[in-house]
Amino acid sequence: MVTVNEELTAEEWKRRYEREKEKVTRLRGKLERAEEELERWRKGETVSAEEQVSLKEESAAPTPSQVTEGTILTVIMRRLYFHYK
């Protein structure tokens, strides 16, 4: 989020920082689970729909026909790109 000429109090900055810190923690956990799932796929294992990681905030896990190794890699790479940008 980019805002021009925005003045925030120390308390507002602290709240924003804490909110972003929680989001980073949550995303790191999802990334770890997605990487574990990807490793299973690479080893030739089948990952059931219940075991698949959902990277969306409020959605159900995708069905096996919707997830491929390529889509998992794309999501992981995008997350890493924006995280370290």
Side-chain angles (χ1 to χ4, degrees):
M1 178 170 94
V2 176
T3 306
V4 178
N5 295 328
E6 182 177 16
E7 293 186 27
L8 300 173
T9 66
E11 189 60 35
E12 289 169 324
W13 277 114
K14 184 177 179 180
R15 278 195 305 270
R16 281 192 182 186
Y17 171 79
E18 292 300 326
R19 192 171 43 236
E20 291 300 314
K21 187 175 161 183
E22 289 172 8
K23 189 189 314 181
V24 167
T25 301
R26 193 173 55 251
L27 290 173
R28 278 189 179 143
K30 286 184 178 186
L31 178 60
E32 287 176 14
R33 291 188 306 275
E35 288 172 336
E36 291 169 3
E37 181 180 328
L38 176 61
E39 285 302 312
R40 289 181 61 191
W41 278 75
R42 285 182 173 167
K43 291 177 184 177
E45 294 180 38
T46 301
V47 180
S48 70
E50 296 82 28
E51 295 175 297
Q52 292 175 8
V53 175
S54 172
L55 297 178
K56 294 182 180 180
E57 291 296 320
E58 297 287 333
S59 70
T63 63
S65 63
Q66 294 173 317
V67 177
T68 65
E69 184 173 316
T71 57
I72 294 171
L73 284 173
T74 301
V75 169
I76 290 170
M77 295 308 291
R78 284 182 183 163
R79 297 285 176 161
L80 287 172
Y81 173 77
F82 287 110
H83 177 73
Y84 291 107
K85 184 175 177 184

